[in-house]
Amino acid sequence: MSAQQIASAVRSGRRSAADVLDEHLERIEAREPELHAFNLVMSGQARSAAAELDRRVAAGEDPGPLAGVPVALKDNLCTRGVPTTCSSRILEGWRPPYDATVVERVRDAGAVVVGKTNLDEFAMGSSTENSAFGPTRNPHDPSRVPGGSSGGSAAAVAAGFVPLALGSDTGGSIRQPAALCGVVGMKPTYGLVSRYGLVAFASSLDQIGPLAADVADAALLLEAIAGHDPADSTSLPGGAPPVSQALDGGVSGVRVGVLRELTEGIDPDVLKRMREAADALADAGAEVEEVSVPATVYGLSAYYLIAPAEASSNLARYDGVRYGLREPAPDVTTMYSRTRARGFGAEVKRRVMLGTYALSAGYYDAYYGQAQRVRTLIIQDFASAYERVDVLLAPTAPTTAFAVGAKAENPLAMYLSDVCTIPSNLAGHPAMSIPFGTGDDGLPVGVQVLAPALGEEAMFRVAGTLERAAPVPAPAAGP
Ligand code: GLN
């Protein structure tokens, strides 16, 4: 059952939230040991929440658009009194004193939070192998990675553990795992969804967004979480865009640009699906042309200066004083360094060192400053492209899901997984991955729709059309 169907059945009293929850908990019990999508399954709290919803429905209340829908949260979203680990040892034992705004909003919409999902430590990675608690596996083939860093959330949706999950996307961490797991994943416009209570990685890039089995469910979740929040100073004014209404709008007359630079270095079977997607849009009445956004080729390099620079600053707060782990030591300086040496994993340390270096006095302008100039170029090139087209089309990831361990020792190869997703983060634009058939290995392929800032409605129109046109139904791994 989709999230939409569950919500309407629970609201009308045709199904109880408790029953829906039990069905999902059974699925989790059956496959979670093999997949490790969750850091924590909150069965007890979820059961109480479902029982409370059922009481409200029985009393004639309407719990809201997500009534009784089980939702999983990436474990970098703060949950009051419930461990929030970022899949890092350094947060061991920490329980946030407050809920993230998105957590409050999904609960207010009637959703049942079932657990916290695994991620690459502090969302740094593309395979969920950088978790201090061990990797998550791809439900379509457990010898493969689910992508990352929201790999737990993507795997949970693909395995049918939950119809909806929240992830965060700094350079592709919602869209890339969505593509590799054969689900829908969407990064909203910067500022559309509050980050209050999202543990910060790179604040000028981070966004929270939905993962779902289909486009309509992704729209439902986006509508529940989007809209102004005074607690986040980067939050845009205004409410959620009415994306659910856009899905069936079709693409007649919509101008679609195939993003030329992001067709290079992509596996041929993945590229073939993207070209088929472009043809499907043309058949549905869109005007399709190839469009160049030249500076996107520098996106990866700029990102790996800007994101680590911001991370090195954001992660300075984990010093053994205020959060989680503290290693005993004879003096405070030794305590800091022992805590950070033991608490952080190798990739996080690499980013902190890269970022500190890029920001150091003698190199600031050559590295960080130069990366910011490239970022401006990317924004300008997108602006020119969007004078000609309404949306852009690109692959989401260069390959299908790769084997667990295949890139674990090669950071550069891992970084290249995000070459197609990073430009939208640098520009602050929305982008979305939609399952579109499979690669030569039979594993899911995702096609990416990019739009200008606040272009969510056009993006969902195109996404809806692509979903209807997908040549091979996205293989369902859940029971
Ligand atoms: N894979 C990219 C990185 O490691 C993006 C991660 C993300 O979006 N959180 O930084």
Side-chain angles (χ1 to χ4, degrees), residues 70-106:
V71 172
L73 306 173
K74 187 176 182 176
D75 201 14
N76 59 354
L77 293 167
C78 288
T79 39
R80 188 157 63 93
V82 175
T84 297
T85 69
C86 295
S87 290
S88 180
R89 296 262 172 233
I90 210 152
L91 286 174
E92 217 166 71
W94 182 60
R95 290 168 191 253
Y98 66 100
D99 279 325
T101 296
V102 290
V103 175
E104 269 178 11
R105 288 192 180 177
V106 295

Side-chain angles (χ1 to χ4, degrees), residues 219-234:
L220 193 67
L221 183 51
L222 178 67
E223 286 169 345
I225 60 173
H228 183 67
D229 175 18
D232 175 353
S233 64
T234 65

Side-chain angles (χ1 to χ4, degrees), residues 101-102 105 190-198 203 206-208 227-237:
T101 296
V102 290
R105 288 192 180 177
Y190 188 78
L192 189 64
V193 174
S194 166
R195 285 106 39 91
Y196 181 70
L198 167 69
S203 308
D206 299 339
Q207 269 293 286
I208 298 168
H228 183 67
D229 175 18
D232 175 353
S233 64
T234 65
S235 173
L236 292 168

Side-chain angles (χ1 to χ4, degrees), residues 74 123-126 148-149 168-173 201 303-304 351 418:
K74 187 176 182 176
M124 297 173 189
S126 308
S149 63
S168 66
D169 191 311
T170 304
S173 277
F201 163 10
Y303 173 88
Y304 276 99
R351 305 281 179 113
D418 301 296

Side-chain angles (χ1 to χ4, degrees), residues 14-49:
R14 277 179 286 127
R15 267 198 91 177
S16 72
D19 183 45
V20 170
L21 175 66
D22 280 342
E23 183 186 305
H24 287 86
L25 289 176
E26 269 167 37
R27 292 187 196 162
I28 293 172
E29 204 171 314
R31 271 198 100 187
E32 172 61 9
E34 174 196 16
L35 300 179
H36 185 214
F38 286 99
N39 285 342
L40 178 70
V41 179
M42 298 154 61
S43 321
Q45 287 198 22
R47 286 209 168 90
S48 321

Side-chain angles (χ1 to χ4, degrees), residues 86 88 90-91 94 122 198-201 311 313-325 335-337 339-341 343-344 348:
C86 295
S88 180
I90 210 152
L91 286 174
W94 182 60
F122 284 101
L198 167 69
V199 177
F201 163 10
S313 164
N314 274 325
L315 271 59
R317 69 188 62 150
Y318 307 109
D319 55 6
V321 176
R322 284 168 297 176
Y323 305 92
L325 185 75
M335 188 279 285
Y336 290 157
S337 66
T339 299
R340 288 169 69 85
F344 287 139
V348 172

